[in-house]
Amino acid sequence: MTSITESNVRQFTAHVSTRHHAMAGATIAASAAMACSLGEVCVRISIQHQDSASRREAASKATERLQDIRQALLTLADEDGAAITDFATLRDAGQEL
């Protein structure tokens, strides 16, 4: 698996569960990215119920910020997944880091 964030949820969970090392960082980052997605849609839904332009603008900025955070978390999930996999490969080969 080259990029964990390019897999679907079923593939990702299967990948994590079959490793010989814990992919805690990647899993937490991917989970947090999913939480940001939920936050984005909830804020977007709430925008239509805001009674002032300033509140709608603030909500719109919040969705943009959540989107930025989500993208950063996805990048971190891939980076951490690759790093721990490389570490485990070296460890299993008996190599020092």
Side-chain angles (χ1 to χ4, degrees):
M1 180 174 289
T2 58
S3 171
I4 61 173
T5 59
E6 291 179 9
S7 61
N8 65 40
V9 173
R10 189 173 309 273
Q11 292 167 325
F12 176 66
T13 57
H15 178 75
V16 170
S17 70
T18 60
R19 300 299 93 189
H20 297 289
H21 54 274
M23 294 184 65
T27 301
I28 291 166
S31 297
M34 292 177 77
C36 283
S37 295
L38 181 60
E40 285 177 63
V41 73
C42 289
V43 172
R44 228 179 275 116
I45 289 168
S46 75
I47 288 174
Q48 62 189 337
H49 302 292
Q50 300 300 321
D51 55 0
S52 73
S54 63
R55 286 187 177 183
R56 286 190 298 274
E57 178 64 24
S60 180
K61 287 181 181 179
T63 60
E64 291 173 11
R65 181 70 180 127
L66 284 166
Q67 185 178 29
D68 292 344
I69 293 168
R70 179 172 47 89
Q71 292 303 319
L73 286 164
L74 291 171
T75 298
L76 290 170
D78 283 334
E79 290 173 356
D80 188 75
I84 191 65
T85 299
D86 291 346
F87 170 81
T89 300
L90 290 171
R91 180 196 61 205
D92 294 346
Q95 296 182 7
E96 296 285 325
L97 296 178

